[in-house]
Amino acid sequence: GFRHRAALLLGYSPMLAGGRLGPRTDPQRKPIGEIEKSPARLAGLANEMSLLARLMERGVPFLWGRLEIASLIAGEIPAVGPALERDVNIRVIDHAPAAAVRADATRLRQALNALMFSHRRELFMTDELCVAIERVPDARPPAVRVTMAGADRIDELRRLPESELGPLVEFRSGLGYRLPIAPQVIEAHGGRIVSRN
């Protein structure tokens, strides 16, 4: 059903854009451009919805490997979402050199990308998003804590005790289902996403 309709739109939109169905006028150019983009966006949303449902049912296979978390995050920074109206830098603060995690590289990258993009977009008081990585003392099995915040708040948030943290409940627009997918992926890795209560 849905995928078939998206495929039909994708098939007809090049004909419209190329003028094979008649000459285009200037007022038609923008709507035709949006028509060309829409099926791809809808197909992407359908894929994200499918992935979210499978993650919630624990029906997604993970390809586990050992990854250094700082390298994984630093490698994902250039791919963090589209450009914003203003420049926002992302800086990794690594207090746990060579800390490694057991992870599915592709899935964890996607989750971290969505979280960094969302945080970067929400910054108001600073133009720098900091991503602090540190080992959790006395954790069994060993654990890593990743804190994301603006440069103006990162130190305060890093020092918060567990009692002041609660589950992240956030479904913002502009990211499709990538943000709701991120907690499912993090939980499948034995972690959780929390925010200040």
Side-chain angles (χ1 to χ4, degrees):
F2 171 78
R3 287 177 197 241
H4 177 71
R5 284 190 290 270
L8 281 175
L9 280 172
L10 284 171
Y12 283 115
S13 62
M15 292 170 61
L16 283 169
R20 285 192 240 160
L21 300 176
R24 288 180 302 166
T25 64
D26 284 338
Q28 291 173 334
R29 290 185 202 291
K30 185 174 180 179
I32 288 172
E34 289 303 312
I35 289 170
E36 286 183 300
K37 292 179 204 171
S38 293
R41 286 187 199 134
L42 291 172
L45 273 175
N47 289 335
E48 289 171 2
M49 287 170 51
S50 173
L51 174 59
L52 181 57
R54 287 183 296 138
L55 281 165
M56 293 175 86
E57 294 168 0
R58 305 288 184 237
V60 174
F62 281 78
L63 301 173
W64 299 103
R66 199 109 179 106
L67 303 168
E68 188 178 307
I69 192 72
S71 296
L72 183 74
I73 291 170
E76 197 53 29
I77 288 172
V80 175
L84 300 175
E85 293 173 10
R86 61 190 173 89
D87 282 341
V88 175
N89 297 319
I90 300 175
R91 178 170 52 107
V92 177
I93 304 167
D94 188 4
H95 293 288
V101 293
R102 182 177 169 266
D104 178 313
T106 301
R107 301 268 184 238
L108 191 55
R109 265 193 194 100
Q110 291 167 344
L112 290 169
N113 183 297
L115 292 168
M116 286 190 287
F117 177 76
S118 177
H119 276 75
R120 185 184 76 148
R121 188 176 66 174
E122 300 293 319
L123 293 179
F124 297 108
M125 303 301 288
T126 180
D127 288 335
E128 185 172 57
L129 171 65
C130 296
V131 182
I133 305 162
E134 47 213 327
R135 287 184 174 85
V136 178
D138 304 321
R140 292 290 167 248
V144 175
R145 178 177 173 172
V146 177
T147 306
M148 295 182 193
D152 57 329
R153 298 188 58 226
I154 190 71
D155 291 329
E156 169 195 351
L157 290 177
R158 283 181 48 232
R159 288 192 283 272
L160 282 180
E162 287 285 321
S163 61
E164 292 187 37
L165 300 173
L168 176 71
V169 179
E170 186 174 14
F171 288 80
R172 306 247 171 133
S173 63
L175 276 178
Y177 286 90
R178 290 173 55 209
L179 204 52
I181 286 170
Q184 299 293 325
V185 170
I186 299 294
E187 287 171 19
H189 284 80
R192 62 194 178 108
I193 299 177
V194 294
S195 65
R196 184 178 204 153
N197 284 336

